[in-house]
Protein backbone atom coordinates (compact mmCIF):
# COMPACT_ATOMS: atom_id res chain seq x y z
CA UNK A 1 0.00 0.00 0.00
CA UNK A 2 1.31 3.44 -0.88
CA UNK A 3 0.09 6.83 0.35
CA UNK A 4 0.88 9.97 -1.61
CA UNK A 5 0.02 13.23 0.14
CA UNK A 6 -2.99 11.72 1.95
CA UNK A 7 -4.65 14.13 4.35
CA UNK A 8 -8.01 14.91 5.92
CA UNK A 9 -9.76 18.17 6.83
CA UNK A 10 -13.15 18.93 8.38
CA UNK A 11 -14.60 22.44 8.06
CA UNK A 12 -11.16 23.84 7.35
CA UNK A 13 -9.57 22.14 10.38
CA UNK A 14 -6.69 19.82 9.54
CA UNK A 15 -7.21 16.45 11.24
CA UNK A 16 -4.48 14.59 9.34
CA UNK A 17 -1.63 16.50 7.69
CA UNK A 18 -0.68 15.24 4.21
CA UNK A 19 1.28 12.01 4.57
CA UNK A 20 3.39 10.11 2.04
CA UNK A 21 4.41 6.57 2.99
CA UNK A 22 4.98 3.16 1.43
CA UNK A 23 3.96 0.24 3.62
CA UNK A 24 6.28 -2.77 3.34
CA UNK A 25 4.82 -5.77 1.54
CA UNK A 26 5.05 -8.07 4.53
CA UNK A 27 5.26 -7.77 8.27
CA UNK A 28 3.51 -5.58 10.78
CA UNK A 29 3.51 -1.78 10.88
CA UNK A 30 2.59 0.07 14.06
CA UNK A 31 1.35 3.63 14.58
CA UNK A 32 2.29 5.64 17.61
CA UNK A 33 1.26 9.19 18.39
CA UNK A 34 -0.37 11.58 20.80
CA UNK A 35 -4.11 11.77 21.28
CA UNK A 36 -5.65 13.72 18.41
CA UNK A 37 -2.73 13.14 16.05
CA UNK A 38 -4.86 11.41 13.37
CA UNK A 39 -4.14 7.72 13.99
CA UNK A 40 -7.80 6.66 13.96
CA UNK A 41 -8.56 8.89 11.00
CA UNK A 42 -5.73 7.28 9.02
CA UNK A 43 -6.99 3.80 9.91
CA UNK A 44 -10.51 4.73 8.73
CA UNK A 45 -9.09 6.03 5.46
CA UNK A 46 -7.03 2.87 4.91
CA UNK A 47 -10.06 0.68 5.70
CA UNK A 48 -12.15 2.70 3.20
CA UNK A 49 -14.58 3.81 5.91
CA UNK A 50 -13.75 7.47 5.25
CA UNK A 51 -12.35 9.24 2.17
CA UNK A 52 -9.23 11.36 2.33
CA UNK A 53 -9.76 15.01 1.41
CA UNK A 54 -6.44 15.16 -0.44
CA UNK A 55 -3.87 12.80 -1.90
CA UNK A 56 -4.12 9.31 -3.29
CA UNK A 57 -3.72 5.74 -2.07
CA UNK A 58 -2.78 2.71 -4.12
CA UNK A 59 -3.11 -0.91 -3.05
CA UNK A 60 -1.68 -3.71 -5.15
CA UNK A 61 -0.76 -1.17 -7.82
CA UNK A 62 -4.38 0.03 -8.21
CA UNK A 63 -6.11 3.09 -6.75
CA UNK A 64 -7.72 2.11 -3.44
CA UNK A 65 -11.22 3.20 -4.48
CA UNK A 66 -11.10 1.08 -7.65
CA UNK A 67 -11.19 -2.15 -5.61
CA UNK A 68 -14.57 -3.84 -5.18
CA UNK A 69 -15.61 -4.46 -1.58
CA UNK A 70 -15.32 -8.23 -1.78
CA UNK A 71 -11.98 -8.22 -3.65
CA UNK A 72 -10.54 -5.65 -1.24
CA UNK A 73 -11.64 -7.67 1.82
CA UNK A 74 -10.16 -10.88 0.39
CA UNK A 75 -6.84 -9.23 -0.45
CA UNK A 76 -6.51 -7.57 2.97
CA UNK A 77 -7.43 -10.78 4.82
Amino acid sequence: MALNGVGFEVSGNVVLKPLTFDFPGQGVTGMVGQNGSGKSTLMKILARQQEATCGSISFGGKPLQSWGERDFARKVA
Side-chain angles (χ1 to χ4, degrees), residues 21-61:
F21 184 78
D22 288 326
F23 287 92
Q26 296 182 0
V28 176
T29 301
M31 284 194 294
V32 179
Q34 298 175 337
N35 291 346
S37 63
K39 299 179 302 291
S40 296
T41 301
L42 179 58
M43 289 302 297
K44 289 177 187 176
I45 291 170
L46 296 176
R48 299 183 352 159
Q49 296 175 346
Q50 187 169 331
E51 279 199 46
T53 55
C54 64
S56 62
I57 303 173
S58 63
F59 180 62

Side-chain angles (χ1 to χ4, degrees), residues 60-74:
K62 294 175 17 181
L64 186 63
Q65 295 304 324
S66 72
W67 285 85
E69 288 184 32
R70 180 171 281 183
D71 289 337
F72 179 72
R74 284 182 179 158

